[in-house]
């Protein structure tokens, strides 16, 4: 049913590349900002749907591998496009895209959960259920000062495992690429927390010890209602 895995993966990458290129045509041809917004929304919806497919019940392992390959190829091509075309705004644009996706994923993954009564409950959901749905593992370490600052550490962040500290990448340095992937992840976390009612927060990532990644979430201390 699945066919040759290598051929399917190649086809998926070609599809992802063509999709990313098509969204870039609007920018190169001087389209309006509304057209660019629609293109960004299309990318967001495609990445959201593909990421969601990674956790569809009791599927065979081979099917889940194809789903993850599709997501990885599409994500890679989108990030390559942003690196090549966005200039100084690349991290902001990627973070905004992640924000849209994170909100949608949190809505799907939390629909059967009990109400989150505290910020810590929402953060624990991100560390356990939410992270497991996306990366098939929980956050390895969670620390907080109980004053609105939370530090989440993933000892082997999946999106950084393939990056080398010395090998040049196709577009930009490994450091630049790492920043793009972590900006995307930070956006996803912000979007997820926003969907859970925590709208006033910042998320930063520290990648000094690849492939580990430390996410620092700073939430305003004023009371926030959780959805």
């Amino acid at each position: 049913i699945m066919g040759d895995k290598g051929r399917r993966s190649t086809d998926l990458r070609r599809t992802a590349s063509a999709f990313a290129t098509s969204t870039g045509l609007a920018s190169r041809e001087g389209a309006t900002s509304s057209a660019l917004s629609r293109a960004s929304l299309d990318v967001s919806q495609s990445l959201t749907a593909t990421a969601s497919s990674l956790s569809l019940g009791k599927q065979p392992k081979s099917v889940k591998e194809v789903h993850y390959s599709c997501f990885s190829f599409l994500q890679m091509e989108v990030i390559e496009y942003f690196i090549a075309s966005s200039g100084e705004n690349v991290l902001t644009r990627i973070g905004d895209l992640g924000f849209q996706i994170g909100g949608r994923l949190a809505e799907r993954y939390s629909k059967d959960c009990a109400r989150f009564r505290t910020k810590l409950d929402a953060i624990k959901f991100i560390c356990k259920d939410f992270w497991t749905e996306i990366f098939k593992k929980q956050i390895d370490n969670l620390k907080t000062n109980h004053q609105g600052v939370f530090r989440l550490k993933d000892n082997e962040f999946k999106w950084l495992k393939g990056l080398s500290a010395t090998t040049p990448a196709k577009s930009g340095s490994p450091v630049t690429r790492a920043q793009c992937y972590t900006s995307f992840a930070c956006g996803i976390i912000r979007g997820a927390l926003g969907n859970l009612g925590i709208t006033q927060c910042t998320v930063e990532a520290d990648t000094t010890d690849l492939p580990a990644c430390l996410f620092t979430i700073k939430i305003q201390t004023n009371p926030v209602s959780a959805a």
Side-chain angles (χ1 to χ4, degrees), residues 149-192:
V149 178
F150 301 86
R151 291 185 172 85
L152 289 58
K153 187 173 184 180
D154 190 326
N155 292 331
E156 291 188 344
F157 187 43
K158 200 165 189 175
W159 292 349
L160 300 181
K161 290 181 70 174
L163 296 182
S164 167
T166 58
T167 304
K170 181 174 75 172
S171 298
S173 67
V175 173
T176 299
R177 288 169 58 85
Q179 290 175 335
C180 290
Y181 281 103
T182 55
S183 292
F184 188 45
C186 288
I188 287 177
I189 294 173
R190 285 192 300 110

Side-chain angles (χ1 to χ4, degrees), residues 106 109-126 129 192 195-198 224-227:
Y109 298 153
S110 65
K111 63 181 181 180
D112 295 325
C113 296
R115 179 183 175 88
F116 301 112
R117 298 185 178 279
T118 66
K119 299 182 185 73
L120 183 58
D121 288 339
I123 295 294
K124 286 181 177 179
F125 168 77
I126 297 296
D129 303 78
N195 182 269
L196 301 178
I198 303 176
V224 179
S225 61

